Amino acid sequence: LLTQEKGAATPKDVHIDWTAVSGESQLLEESAMMLQSRLHIKQPDGPVPQVYVGIAISGIPLATLMAVSEGVRLGIYHPAKQAIGDEPVGSMSGNFGIRPGEQVVIVDDVITSGKTLQEVINYIKRHGAVPVACCVLFDKRGIRDIDGVPVYSLFKVSRID
């Protein structure tokens, strides 16, 4: 976007390559801890999560590190967009699920439209748990909440003309 010519068509999306961080365990851990700190700064007296749910694939290592840091459970969600079949549906991992009544923080790397986070929030609510926050590294749209659940990001991606 910064090298795009004036008057050129606006791209529908941008790619964020964060492999320099995601491929290095120390940098990945530091990113997860920054994300967790952002959550606690925004919700200092907020509900204490009982489970961090990582959205497959890139949200899983972030959620794992955050859960380990706080000594809470880990959940893994596989979104519908990654499912196969005529009518793909999202689902929680059988070994890494949620329980009714649990307070849940949802974790992913990037939010683009908010559809995946909305899907996870709906799933969590349908199964009796309580989504208390969404944490993402990169926010491409400036989304502050989804269905009343706050969204906290480390970085907002904006177009500069």
Side-chain angles (χ1 to χ4, degrees), residues 41-90:
I41 288 168
K42 297 303 281 184
Q43 293 187 345
D45 301 319
V48 177
Q50 295 161 300
V51 60
Y52 281 88
V53 171
I55 299 175
I57 292 178
S58 297
I60 295 171
L62 294 165
T64 300
L65 292 163
M66 293 167 80
V68 167
S69 170
E70 294 196 355
V72 299
R73 293 183 349 89
L74 171 68
I76 296 175
Y77 186 84
H78 301 278
K81 67 184 178 185
Q82 294 175 358
I84 56 172
D86 293 336
E87 295 183 32
V89 64

Side-chain angles (χ1 to χ4, degrees), residues 63-157:
T64 300
L65 292 163
M66 293 167 80
V68 167
S69 170
E70 294 196 355
V72 299
R73 293 183 349 89
L74 171 68
I76 296 175
Y77 186 84
H78 301 278
K81 67 184 178 185
Q82 294 175 358
I84 56 172
D86 293 336
E87 295 183 32
V89 64
S91 63
M92 291 293 298
S93 168
N95 292 321
F96 301 96
I98 56 171
R99 299 175 186 144
E102 285 185 315
Q103 300 202 33
V104 178
V105 171
I106 304 161
V107 182
D108 206 359
D109 60 339
V110 179
I111 181 172
T112 300
S113 68
K115 288 180 184 177
T116 302
L117 287 173
Q118 180 69 65
E119 175 186 327
V120 181
I121 288 167
N122 291 343
Y123 182 96
I124 289 168
K125 287 180 176 181
R126 275 196 320 272
H127 289 85
V130 181
V132 296
C134 300
C135 294
V136 298
L137 293 177
F138 305 99
D139 178 358
K140 294 182 180 181
R141 298 282 187 237
I143 297 172
R144 295 192 178 186
D145 75 86
I146 298 173
D147 197 19
V149 180
V151 176
Y152 304 120
S153 64
L154 288 183
F155 305 99
K156 292 195 184 334
V157 179

